[in-house]
Structures are given as structure tokens and as C-alpha cells.
Amino acid sequence: MVEVAGIGVLIEGAAGLGKSETGLGLVKRGHALVADDLTVLRLDSAGKIIASSMPTTRFFMEIRGLGIIYVPSIFGISSVRGEKELNLVATLRRPDQVEDLDRSGMTELYRNILGRDIPQILIPVAPGRDLVNLVETAAQDFKLRQMGNFAAVRLDEQIKEHHLALAQKRGLK
């Protein structure tokens, strides 16, 4: 669980897909770790899902090949958060486990957690894919969507306007 540009992102997926490494990369880019491996989720009095770590593992990460690291010692106290509201679920999957992926971003997916539907993105994991960049961009796009700015809808509208202008120019309707 990480905080990316103010957005609480839970990164989930099968073992060995790069969840912790993605979290570490986000921390290196100035975002913050909430929990690694064991994330505690609870509903607050307003019905929001709040994520935190287990007290015994708080701010520790296990990175394959490196072992256990203590994030605030390496990156400073601003690199961690005690808790964060869960806003987005980033699900890492092997490419063969992602069927009919919507490449436009028009289809909204949700993951039901504690009775709440949380927006979800599916990210196919393949060699050479920059998962840190993808999760960071997904969080930033989520912020824009919350403000009503949907890139795919905007592009669709622009294409329709362009075709309408061409048709009018040719004397068609």
C-alpha cells in the first residue's frame, strides 16, 4: 500500500510479480509507503476504507535480492505514512491472465473490499514494462477523473467534432 500524489493505492497480485519493487520505486520517486505485504484495512466512521500496516512490520519492506529494509532510515520520515484512505486498487497480472483488456480506459472496473466498490486498474506485467511509471500515472489519472477529466471521453469528443467539421466542410451532415 502506497500513497501516490495523495492517492492511496493498494498494489495487489500474485507472488513474484513485482509489488514490493514497484512500491520501492514509487518511494524513490517521492511517494510514500503505507504497508508492505500485510496491509490492514478497516472502515472508518465515514465509511471510508483506511489502510495501515501491522505494528510489528510498519515501514519495513522485503525486497528480493536485498532482504529486509527499513524505509525511513533510507529515504527519510516523509517516505512513510501511518495510514491512508484506499482510493485505487492496482492489480498486477501476468499477460495470459488478462482477457479482453480495454485499451481505451472507457470501461471502469471496481474491486469490492469491505462492502465498498473501489476503482481498479489491471496492469499486465511483462519484461521491460515500467510498473512504477504505470502505477504513478494511474494514480494521477485517477485524480483527474475525480475532477471530471476523462482523457478517453475527451478524445472521443474531439474525434467526433473533427468528423463533423469535415462533413460540414464537404456539405454533408
Side-chain angles (χ1 to χ4, degrees):
M1 177 74 189
V2 289
E3 179 188 70
V4 179
I7 302 300
V9 181
L10 178 67
I11 303 169
E12 66 175 6
L17 284 182
K19 297 177 299 293
S20 293
E21 289 84 354
T22 301
L24 178 62
L26 289 164
V27 168
K28 284 191 62 137
R29 285 195 182 183
H31 305 293
L33 174 73
V34 177
D36 184 44
D37 287 334
L38 293 173
T39 301
V40 177
L41 301 173
R42 66 176 172 79
L43 286 175
D44 73 1
S45 60
K48 296 177 182 177
I49 298 176
I50 304 299
S52 62
S53 66
M54 298 289 293
T56 54
T57 61
R58 183 161 289 140
F59 309 146
F60 287 94
M61 292 184 83
E62 186 261 320
I63 306 295
R64 290 181 189 180
L66 295 181
I68 306 297
I69 64 169
Y70 187 64
V71 173
S73 293
I74 297 172
F75 300 104
I77 196 67
S78 65
S79 67
V80 292
R81 299 286 181 274
E83 62 181 27
K84 181 66 186 163
E85 179 184 354
L86 174 59
N87 305 112
L88 180 66
V89 176
T91 303
L92 307 184
R93 293 223 177 123
R94 290 181 178 84
D96 62 338
Q97 295 176 328
V98 180
E99 298 176 13
D100 301 326
L101 187 65
D102 172 26
R103 294 177 49 162
S104 71
M106 297 283 277
T107 303
E108 294 181 347
L109 300 175
Y110 294 91
R111 174 96 152 65
N112 189 284
I113 298 175
L114 298 177
R116 302 290 186 266
D117 286 334
I118 305 298
Q120 177 187 36
I121 57 163
L122 296 178
I123 301 175
V125 176
R129 294 206 80 196
D130 185 351
L131 298 178
V132 174
N133 185 41
L134 294 173
V135 171
E136 183 179 51
T137 301
Q140 292 166 332
D141 185 56
F142 174 82
K143 279 177 83 168
L144 289 171
R145 286 175 181 239
Q146 293 298 103
M147 295 184 295
N149 187 347
F150 291 79
V153 171
R154 187 172 168 201
L155 176 61
D156 186 52
E157 289 169 356
Q158 285 182 198
I159 290 170
K160 287 176 183 174
E161 288 173 12
H162 176 74
H163 285 289
L164 180 60
L166 283 177
Q168 289 174 345
K169 190 174 184 179
R170 293 181 182 142
L172 305 172
K173 289 192 177 188

